């Protein structure tokens, strides 16, 4: 019997494809005082760091942190003998000029859409026994050159699988 490989590569790739299919561009919002947001903002969903194309809205499916433990002390070390727990880190970064509230709300909108992808299929296409979003901090800050606001959040998607 072949020793199973990690489910992390398949789970990470499934999450990337699911986010590409599910995430929506900014539609601009009405706040009672007019419109804000940026309906012209492009959205990029990528694996790891974006390349030279860096639009206003970027969602990156990046690093994986993994821990392996023995699932059972009985048996040959074959399938199901180990359990892997890992997190797939999804980073969202939004640029919105000097509009801090718009950056905050757009960051949250993409965060909620990302969480909904995992909630819709917590097995990540059958790659894991379960996956769930974990704690995260949403922050809006000035860009390093002080030309605008950037909303950022990194959300780990915690996964469990027996291998």
């Amino acid at each position: 019997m072949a020793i199973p490989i990690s489910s992390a590569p398949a789970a990470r790739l499934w999450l990337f494809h699911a986010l590409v299919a599910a995430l929506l561009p900014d539609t601009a919002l009405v706040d009672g005082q007019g419109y804000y947001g940026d309906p012209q903002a492009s959205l990029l969903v990528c694996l790891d760091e974006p390349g030279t194309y860096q639009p206003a809205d970027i969602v990156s499916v990046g690093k994986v942190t993994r821990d392996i433990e023995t699932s059972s002390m009985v048996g040959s070390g074959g399938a199901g003998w180990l359990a892997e727990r890992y997190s797939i880190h999804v980073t969202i970064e939004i640029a919105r000029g000097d509009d801090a509230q718009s950056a905050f709300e757009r960051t949250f909108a993409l965060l909620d859409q990302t969480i909904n992808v995992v909630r819709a299929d917590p097995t990540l296409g059958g790659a894991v026994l379960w996956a769930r979003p974990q704690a995260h901090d949403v922050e809006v800050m000035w860009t390093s050159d002080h030309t605008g606001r950037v909303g950022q959040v990194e959300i780990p998607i915690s996964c469990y699988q027996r291998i």
Side-chain angles (χ1 to χ4, degrees), residues 13 93 134 150:
L13 190 59
E93 185 173 286
Q134 295 297 304
V150 175

Side-chain angles (χ1 to χ4, degrees), residues 25-31 34-40 96 102 106:
D26 196 353
T27 58
L29 305 169
V30 179
D31 69 352
Y35 290 91
Y36 66 100
D38 186 357
Q40 304 304 313
R96 283 295 179 279
S102 177
R106 178 63 176 155

Side-chain angles (χ1 to χ4, degrees), residues 5 17-18 28 45 54 58 63-64 71 76 81 84 88 99 103 108 111 120 127 131-132 139 141 144 158:
I5 62 170
H17 287 296
V45 180
Q54 296 189 15
I58 300 173
K63 74 177 180 177
V64 173
S71 178
S76 64
W81 189 63
E84 62 179 351
I88 304 169
D99 190 347
F108 249 94
L111 173 63
R132 64 177 181 245
E139 182 178 16
M141 63 195 96
S144 59
S158 182

Side-chain angles (χ1 to χ4, degrees), residues 1-4 76-81 163:
M1 174 188 294
I3 295 176
S76 64
W81 189 63
I163 56 173

Side-chain angles (χ1 to χ4, degrees), residues 31 146 161:
D31 69 352
H146 298 281
Q161 177 66 301

